C-alpha cells in the first residue's frame, strides 16, 4: 500500500497527491452527502501523460480507479467505495482550453475545465457552447461528457453527447487513445468516442475533447405562461414549435406547488400573476439573427394559443431583468425543496407525447398508495424529462416517509417503464440506480453492456461498482 | 450446402429465397460495378423474427451473412465475396412504417423502408425527416443507418446517427435486441445503439429504428453565388452563418470545371451568369416560420458580402422552378462526370476552417505529380466534406490514368490526413477502403475496433471482409 503511494507520488509529485483522509474528505463524499467513501489516495495529475502513467500503475497493481471531475454527481458516480483500496483520480488540474477555432466552430478543452469557464471561452470567441445546467459553476466538462449531461438547452442543442466531435481517452491499460478530431463527418469504422460518452468512467478516462460551438443568439425572449394542466402544456409545446420552429430553446413545466415552494422560501419572489394557476410553463425563444422581433412573434403565438383555450394567462418579460426573474422561479425550485425538507427525487423521461398522461396516472397511483403526498413536479417538458420529486404529506413524519423511498420510487419508475420511459433521463446510474436498473433493462441489454465492459476493461479496474 | 438452402427455405418460404445465381446477380454486384460477388443464396425475410431465425441458422452453421438494403453502397459494403459461401440477407421486404408520433416528433420504421418513402410518410404527418441524398429513391433506411449516411442536410440536421433515438437489432447469435425507445434523454448505461450505427453490418443487423422528425420548413430560398476561390467561399460561410444562423441549410461548393461538365452533358442547362467564374456556391436558407422574408435577409447578407469583396456575382432564385434549376446544377455533377468518362473519386473531410488550404495544397501536389489532371471538386463545404474527384488530363489515355488510382488516391488521402481529416467522410469503408484505412488509423484505434468486433461477433460471421 505504502509502496503504491510512493510510486504515485513519483508520478504526480506532492502537488498531485492527497493521502491524508481528512484532506481527502471533500473528494470521497458525494454532492448529495449520500455516500461516504474512503480512498487509498486522491491523485490529481497535471497532464494527460500523468493520467496515463497513474492508470498504468493501477493496471499493474490492480488498483481500482474512480475518475472524478467537479464531484457534482447526483448518483454517487464519482465517489469511491468504503474499502479504502480505490484511488480517486481527480481531473481538476487538467483544465486548459487547448484551442478555439471559430471558423470550424470547435473548441478543444481538457477534462477538468469547469463548464462555466468553457462557456466563457466560447463567448470570448463570439460563439455559444450551449450545455448549461445548475452545477455549471463547479461541474467539469469531463464529468459532463462521462455522464452525457442534459440541462436546459437540450431541446434545441441536444445532450452532451451531441456536442462532441472528438475525444482523448486514457484506456484501462494506461494507453492514450488520441481521437481528438474536429470533423463533422468521418465514417471510417466504429465511432469509438460514443462508447466513452455516458459510460461514467467505467471504460476509460476522458482527458480532453473537441466540442461543437454555435453562433450566439442575438435576441431572446422569455415568458411565463399559466395553464390548466400538463396536457395543455403539451399542446402548447406543439403549437409554439409549429409557429416558431427552432427558435424555441426552453420549455420548462412547473406545478403550482413548485412555485408556492419558491415563493415561501425565497421571500423576494414576485409572481407576475395576481392569482395562482394549476400549472406553469417557462418558455424561451432565441434567434441568432439580431433583427428578429421575437417578442412580437411570441405575443402572436400566445394570443392564438389563448384563443384555442390552451393558455390561462401569460407574461412576456419586458427586460433582461424580468427575464432573469422568471428564470429564477425555475432555478430556485431545487433550493426551495431543500429548505422545505426532504424529498424523494426522480429523474424520469417518457416519450414527449405521453408526458401528460404519465403525470396524471402516476399522481393518482401515488395518492392511492401514499395519501396526501405532495408532488414537486417540474422539468424539461420539451425533452420528455421530469424531475418528479415527492415530499411527505403536510404534517407527516418526514423521516418515516423518506424511509419508504424504495417503495415510492418503485411506483414512479414502474410507471415510467410502462410508458416506454427511462428511470434516469439525465443524471446517470452511478451507484444510486445500479440495482434499480436491473428491473427495467432486459437481461440481453445488460449482457451486451457487460461484453463491452469486459472487452475494454478486462481487469475491471475502471470505476467498479458503478453502472454495471 | 443443399441442406442449408432447404433450412433457409423452411424459414422464409419460396418468396424469401433466391438461390439461382442469375436471379441473384442484381444482389451480388455492387452499385458502381466494381465488385462481382457470388452468394450461397439471397435471403429476403419478411419480419424481424424471420431475420432472427436466419441469423441463428447462420450462427449455428458458421455461415457468413452480408446484410443488404437498397444495394447502393459506394464502397462494396453490401456485396458478398466470390466464394459462394456467404448469404446476402436483403432487408427490402421489411419495409413498413410501424408508427408516426407527430407530438413526440418520431417515426418508427423497418430497415427496408426506402428513404424517399420515409420522407413522404413524415411529410404526410406535416413533419420533416431531413436525411436526403442522391440515392434516396432506392437506398433503404437500414443501410443509411448502418453507414451513418450524410447527404445535403447535414449542415443543419446532422448525419444519420444524429437522427436515431432507438434501434431494433438482430445480433450475431440471432437474438433480437429491442432498443426501440423514443426518448430524447436516457442515461441508463452504455448507448448501445451507437455501436450499430455506422458499423456497416459487421456487429449485427438493424431491423427497425425510431427516428427524429422536425417541423417542416415553410419558406426556403436558394441562390447561386460566384466567387474567386474556396477561401472566399469559406469566408462567405462564416458571414452567412453569422447573419442567418440556423436558417442556412445548404452550402455546396462547385468548381468552374464542375459546372462546365454539367453544361456540356446536360444541354438544357442555363447558368444564371453571363460569364464564367472560378468557383460557385449553391446556398439554401429555410425557416419553419412561414412569415419570414428569407429572400430579403439573403439579399442583405449577400450585398454585405459583395461589399467585403467575398462575392463576384449572385443570383437568388425567384421561383420554385428557378430554385430547382439551381439545385440541378449541383445534382447533375455526378452524372455529368459519368458522361465525361472515368474519374478517380474521393470522399474526404477536413476541419471546415482548413478546407480552402486543403484544396490549394492538394491541387498543387496533384499537378506536380500528374500534370494536367482535371479536378472535379465539389461537395458539402459547410460540413468540411469534399467529393474531390480527378479526371485524366484532356486527351490522355483514360484507362492508363485510372490504372494509377492507388497513387493518385494516396496523394489525396495523405493530404487529408495531414490536415487532421478523414479518407471517408460519408461513404464508409466497406471493402473498398478497408486496406487504405490501415495507413491512417492508429494501431491502437484498430485494436479497439477489433475488441468490439470480437466481443459482439466472436464467430466473425457478420459481413466479414468489410470495415475491419
Amino acid at each position: 500500500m505504502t509502496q503504491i503511494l510512493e510510486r504515485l507520488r513519483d508520478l504526480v509529485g506532492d502537488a498531485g497527491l492527497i493521502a491524508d483522509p481528512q484532506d481527502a474528505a471533500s473528494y470521497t463524499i458525494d454532492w448529495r452527502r449520500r455516500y461516504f467513501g474512503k480512498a487509498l489516495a486522491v491523485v490529481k495529475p497535471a497532464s494527460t501523460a500523468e493520467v496515463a502513467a497513474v492508470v498504468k500503475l493501477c493496471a499493474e497493481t490492480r488498483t481500482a480507479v474512480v475518475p472524478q471531475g467537479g464531484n457534482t454527481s447526483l448518483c454517487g458516480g464519482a465517489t469511491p467505495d468504503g474499502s479504502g483500496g480505490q484511488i480517486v483520480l481527480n481531473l481538476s488540474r487538467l483544465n486548459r482550453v487547448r484551442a478555439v477555432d471559430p471558423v470550424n466552430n470547435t473548441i478543444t478543452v481538457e477534462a477538468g475545465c469547469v463548464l462555466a469557464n468553457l462557456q466563457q471561452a466560447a463567448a470570448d470567441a463570439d460563439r455559444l457552447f450551449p450545455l448549461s445546467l445548475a452545477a455549471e459553476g463547479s461541474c467539469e466538462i469531463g464529468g459532463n461528457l462521462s455522464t452525457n449531461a442534459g440541462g436546459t438547452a437540450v431541446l434545441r442543442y441536444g445532450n452532451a453527447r451531441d456536442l462532441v466531435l472528438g475525444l482523448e481517452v486514457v484506456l484501462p491499460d494506461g494507453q492514450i487513445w488520441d481521437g481528438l478530431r474536429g470533423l463533422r463527418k468521418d465514417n471510417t469504422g466504429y465511432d469509438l468516442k460514443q462508447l466513452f460518452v455516458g459510460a461514467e468512467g467505467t471504460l476509460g478516462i476522458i482527458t480532453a475533447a473537441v466540442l461543437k460551438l454555435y453562433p450566439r443568439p442575438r435576441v431572446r425572449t422569455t415568458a411565463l405562461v399559466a395553464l390548466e394542466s400538463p396536457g395543455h402544456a403539451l399542446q402548447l409545446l406543439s403549437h409554439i414549435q409549429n409557429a416558431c420552429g427552432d427558435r424555441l430553446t426552453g420549455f420548462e413545466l412547473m406545478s403550482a406547488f413548485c412555485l408556492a415552494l419558491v415563493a415561501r422560501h425565497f421571500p423576494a419572489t414576485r409572481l407576475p400573476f395576481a392569482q395562482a394557476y394549476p400549472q406553469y410553463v417557462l418558455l424561451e425563444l432565441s434567434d441568432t439573427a439580431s433583427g428578429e422581433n421575437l417578442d412580437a412573434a411570441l405575443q402572436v403565438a400566445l394570443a392564438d394559443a389563448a384563443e384555442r383555450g390552451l393558455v390561462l394567462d401569460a407574461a412576456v418579460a419586458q427586460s433582461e431583468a424580468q427575464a432573469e426573474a422568471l428564470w429564477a422561479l425555475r432555478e430556485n425550485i431545487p433550493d426551495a425543496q431543500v429548505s422545505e425538507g426532504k424529498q424523494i427525487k426522480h429523474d424520469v423521461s417518457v416519450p414527449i407525447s405521453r408526458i401528460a398522461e404519465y403525470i396524471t396516472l402516476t399522481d393518482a397511483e401515488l395518492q392511492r398508495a401514499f395519501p396526501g403526498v405532495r408532488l414537486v413536479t417540474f422539468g424539461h417538458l420539451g425533452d420528455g424529462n421530469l424531475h418528479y420529486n415527492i415530499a411527505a404529506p403536510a404534517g407527516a413524519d418526514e423521516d418515516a416517509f423518506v424511509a419508504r423511498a424504495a417503495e415510492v420510487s418503485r411506483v414512479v419508475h414502474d410507471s415510467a417503464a410502462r410508458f416506454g420511459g427511462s428511470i434516469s433521463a439525465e443524471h446517470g446510474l452511478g451507484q444510486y440506480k445500479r440495482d434499480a436498473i436491473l428491473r427495467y433493462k432486459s437481461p440481453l441489454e445488460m449482457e451486451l453492456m457487460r461484453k463491452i465492459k469486459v472487452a475494454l476493461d478486462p481487469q475491471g479496474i475502471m470505476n467498479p461498482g458503478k453502472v454495471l
Side-chain angles (χ1 to χ4, degrees), chain A residues 333-403:
Chain A
I333 296 173
D335 285 342
Q337 288 183 98
V338 172
S339 303
E340 181 72 9
K342 291 176 182 162
Q343 278 96 34
I344 304 168
K345 298 191 178 190
H346 305 95
D347 167 38
V348 297
S349 64
V350 294
I352 299 163
S353 51
R354 312 207 62 191
I355 202 162
E357 201 186 343
Y358 173 79
I359 293 173
T360 305
L361 289 182
T362 315
D363 281 5
E365 214 175 325
L366 284 168
Q367 290 300 350
R368 269 198 305 278
F370 310 95
V373 287
R374 294 171 302 160
L375 302 164
V376 192
T377 310
F378 63 100
H380 318 295
L381 186 89
D383 312 321
N385 176 198
L386 288 177
H387 297 306
Y388 192 96
N389 299 341
I390 299 162
D397 179 340
E398 212 170 55
D399 289 322
F401 179 70
V402 170

Side-chain angles (χ1 to χ4, degrees), chain A residues 211-252:
Chain A
L211 303 167
K212 290 186 201 169
L213 299 178
Y214 289 83
R216 287 180 83 183
R218 306 289 168 187
V219 288
R220 192 188 304 268
T221 188
T222 308
L224 186 71
V225 180
L227 324 93
E228 193 63 57
S229 72
H232 289 86
L234 195 57
Q235 289 180 57
L236 181 66
L237 174 65
S238 283
H239 175 73
I240 300 281
Q241 278 179 326
N242 278 333
C244 305
D246 279 338
R247 292 170 185 77
L248 183 65
T249 41
F251 198 92
E252 301 281 315

Side-chain angles (χ1 to χ4, degrees), chain A residues 422-464:
Chain A
S422 166
I423 69 162
S424 187
E426 56 178 13
H427 296 168
L429 296 176
Q431 36 189 318
Y432 184 47
K433 294 184 184 163
R434 185 192 170 209
D435 293 326
I437 195 62
L438 297 172
R439 182 175 169 86
Y440 304 105
K441 260 196 207 302
S442 68
L444 177 61
E445 187 157 333
M446 294 306 300
E447 185 194 323
L448 283 170
M449 285 169 55
R450 280 186 212 104
K451 281 182 178 174
I452 300 298
K453 170 75 174 173
V454 169
L456 295 191
D457 180 23
Q459 294 200 112
I461 64 165
M462 292 306 310
N463 215 6

Side-chain angles (χ1 to χ4, degrees), chain A residues 115-198:
Chain A
L115 176 54
N117 296 343
L118 166 48
Q119 292 165 345
Q120 188 56 50
D124 291 345
D126 196 28
R127 292 292 181 272
L128 172 75
F129 181 66
L131 189 69
S132 176
L133 44 94
E136 63 196 25
S138 35
C139 66
E140 297 171 5
I141 189 65
N144 297 144
L145 296 177
S146 294
T147 57
N148 186 28
T152 53
V154 174
L155 183 61
R156 168 62 191 85
Y157 299 97
N159 296 288
R161 180 184 303 281
D162 302 302
L163 304 174
V164 186
L165 292 180
L167 289 182
E168 177 188 86
V169 177
V170 171
L171 299 169
D173 60 2
Q175 290 192 83
I176 300 166
W177 172 54
D178 178 1
L180 280 180
R181 292 183 272 260
L183 304 174
R184 306 279 156 170
K185 286 181 169 177
D186 177 24
N187 278 344
T188 54
Y190 308 156
D191 192 357
L192 295 171
K193 66 176 179 287
Q194 304 289 349
L195 283 170
F196 303 102
V197 176

